[in-house]
Amino acid sequence: MKPDYAARPAFNFLRFNGFLRATHSSNVMILSSHRMGRWRMYSTIVPYTQGQIHSGDTCKQVQHKLRKEGFAIYPERILSREACDTVKKKMPDLFAGIFETGVYPDEWHWRDHISRNDVTREMCNTWKSDRTIASIVLNEDLGKLVSTIMGWDSVRIGQDDLIWKPPNQNSTVVGFHQDSAYISNNFVPYENNSVTVWFALDDANHENGCVEYAVGSHLWKTISKYETELEALNVETLGSPSDSAQFQTGAFHSSDSTNYRQGIPPKYRKNMVLKNTSVFEGHVIFHHQDVWHGSGPNLSQTRHRRALVAHYLRGDIKFKADNIDNPNQAIKATPWGSTKYIYGRYKLFQTNDLDESFFPIVYAAHSANTERTEWLDEYIQL
């Protein structure tokens, strides 16, 4: 039986020395953070429900599943119902171009009265556009959870995604892809440099298009390796010419219900094991940077399928010195280097360091040679 999360009260959390202490209160949370010898207070939507999210045993279970299967559902609820409802209520305005901060998101796929109504809607880096979303994806305790599970001393936000599948639409699919093709390939070191946290804003199951994973596919050869070898492969190895074209492009948005899995390398399709990952509202899925995943259409007559996704980066990574995967396809370098879409636009002149203006540090352990980005707490005030 599904737990009755609505019966749970909201809580206030007092942070002290990295621990959470909960007391019953209203739907507003007061977080205190001690930085450089002074207390700073800020209010935000309650991101957590009752309980300790940094349990050692629970984190070990998630680590084990990540290593073995490439994905893991965190067993405790992370986002409160109030937080989920608040984000969902804001989504129509966001997709209508109403941004609280006045800053446009980095990507904005779907425009009212312009785009088709039967496709998946996506918006990237809305933490810059809306402080409610910022209060979730930039939350220090969530950063600490990521740090614990991934074994990182510090954690940056790389990108967030808002994804919305309206009901009863056969084309609301997400093509199979690896996040590393868009994210991890921009940075060094490559191994273990990013992780995705997928927040369910609605109950998600096969009917309304939950995430599907190719179990263990994070252990396959990554797509970037294939892209540099495509000329050496013949069509018979890859499959049909259309397979080859879709495999090269990634097809996040261009897929439909008949071909959204064609991004998976044909070599692996015959014996792959796919898993529909049902998850309740407020729960999260952690998944590996290299795991193949996508999702089918929302065939429910009434239920939306909305999600907030956060892609986190290891705090000490750097941009590639020259962001070219294939030396045989060398691109004339610009003054700031050969960079890629979204992430590359934030590479600064004559440095490979990640600037905290664009990739702020969400959490830093005492052992890290850095601290949580100073302006975050002030920015996410409501």
Side-chain angles (χ1 to χ4, degrees):
M1 180 179 293
K2 178 183 173 181
D4 183 11
Y5 293 121
R8 292 185 178 182
F11 284 79
N12 277 350
F13 290 95
L14 175 64
R15 163 182 285 287
F16 185 74
N17 291 336
F19 293 94
L20 294 176
R21 186 172 65 207
T23 57
H24 189 145
S25 187
S26 65
N27 291 343
V28 176
M29 176 176 70
I30 304 299
L31 286 175
S32 306
S33 74
H34 188 259
R35 188 75 58 194
M36 299 296 292
R38 62 183 183 272
W39 288 95
R40 288 205 299 241
M41 305 293 292
Y42 63 92
S43 62
T44 184
I45 299 298
V46 181
Y48 301 129
T49 50
Q50 184 178 16
Q52 173 58 263
I53 67 166
H54 304 130
S55 165
D57 289 342
T58 302
C59 289
K60 287 178 182 177
Q61 293 171 17
V62 173
Q63 288 171 337
H64 175 74
K65 288 209 70 177
L66 271 175
R67 285 193 298 266
K68 183 178 179 181
E69 298 186 352
F71 62 96
I73 298 175
Y74 195 80
E76 299 294 330
R77 183 181 181 118
I78 295 293
L79 285 184
S80 68
R81 172 162 289 181
E82 292 82 7
C84 292
D85 287 346
T86 300
V87 175
K88 288 186 288 190
K89 287 175 183 176
K90 289 201 166 197
M91 288 176 74
D93 281 348
L94 286 167
F95 280 96
I98 302 171
F99 305 122
E100 175 191 358
T101 66
V103 176
Y104 276 53
D106 283 334
E107 290 189 79
W108 180 5
H109 301 285
W110 196 84
R111 303 291 206 282
D112 197 14
H113 303 301
I114 298 175
S115 304
R116 290 166 46 188
N117 287 323
D118 62 344
V119 295
T120 301
R121 307 168 188 184
E122 185 197 23
M123 190 170 279
C124 297
N125 274 342
T126 46
W127 70 262
K128 302 174 184 178
S129 309
D130 186 270
R131 287 183 175 85
T132 297
I133 292 169
S135 72
I136 296 171
V137 302
L138 303 179
N139 186 278
E140 188 171 14
D141 290 306
L142 181 62
K144 181 179 179 181
L145 180 62
V146 171
S147 169
T148 303
I149 289 172
M150 299 305 295
W152 300 340
D153 283 343
S154 57
V155 178
R156 297 178 186 266
I157 185 66
Q159 176 180 304
D160 68 53
D161 291 78
L162 271 182
I163 299 178
W164 183 358
K165 295 185 179 189
N168 196 27
Q169 303 295 344
N170 193 51
S171 296
T172 50
V173 300
V174 173
F176 264 71
H177 62 284
Q178 293 173 302
D179 292 340
S180 58
Y182 304 95
I183 302 171
S184 302
N185 283 342
N186 290 280
F187 308 108
V188 291
Y190 173 87
E191 297 297 332
N192 191 38
N193 72 13
S194 72
V195 69
T196 296
V197 182
W198 196 97
F199 301 84
L201 300 177
D202 299 294
D203 291 347
N205 56 22
H206 180 66
E207 181 189 41
N208 68 343
C210 64
V211 183
E212 300 175 18
Y213 292 99
V215 178
S217 58
H218 61 303
L219 303 175
W220 302 348
K221 183 183 290 189
T222 60
I223 192 170
S224 62
K225 298 297 196 310
Y226 278 98
E227 286 174 340
T228 60
E229 298 170 10
L230 279 174
E231 290 184 2
L233 298 172
N234 57 39
V235 171
E236 287 74 25
T237 303
L238 280 171
S240 69
S242 62
D243 277 352
S244 179
Q246 180 146 359
F247 176 51
Q248 287 177 280
T249 58
F252 186 99
H253 290 285
S254 61
S255 303
D256 61 36
S257 59
T258 66
N259 68 3
Y260 70 96
R261 295 170 178 160
Q262 282 186 305
I264 299 173
K267 173 182 178 180
Y268 297 109
R269 290 183 200 163
K270 183 177 180 180
N271 297 316
M272 68 181 179
V273 176
L274 295 179
K275 183 174 181 180
N276 291 304
T277 310
S278 298
V279 61
F280 291 141
E281 171 205 88
H283 284 249
V284 305
I285 308 170
F286 282 80
H287 72 236
H288 193 280
Q289 64 188 39
D290 293 326
V291 72
W292 283 91
H293 62 287
S295 58
N298 183 356
L299 299 179
S300 169
Q301 296 296 308
T302 58
R303 296 166 53 218
H304 292 260
R305 202 230 70 180
R306 290 159 290 198
L308 172 62
V309 186
H311 303 290
Y312 290 102
L313 305 173
R314 205 175 94 185
D316 60 350
I317 60 173
K318 296 181 180 293
F319 277 107
K320 285 182 178 178
D322 110 4
N323 212 353
I324 302 172
D325 291 324
N326 185 356
N328 296 324
Q329 298 175 349
I331 304 169
K332 185 177 179 180
T334 63
W336 49 89
S338 300
T339 58
K340 291 187 175 180
Y341 180 53
I342 297 296
Y343 292 88
R345 70 179 63 168
Y346 297 120
K347 186 176 186 298
L348 302 185
F349 178 58
Q350 291 187 335
T351 179
N352 294 321
D353 293 338
L354 277 66
D355 192 293
E356 291 183 39
S357 299
F358 314 116
F359 304 101
I361 296 170
V362 175
Y363 171 78
H366 293 300
S367 58
N369 189 28
T370 188
E371 291 187 337
R372 175 173 164 86
T373 296
E374 186 174 3
W375 50 264
L376 287 186
D377 293 344
E378 181 178 353
Y379 169 65
I380 63 178
Q381 288 182 26
L382 297 178

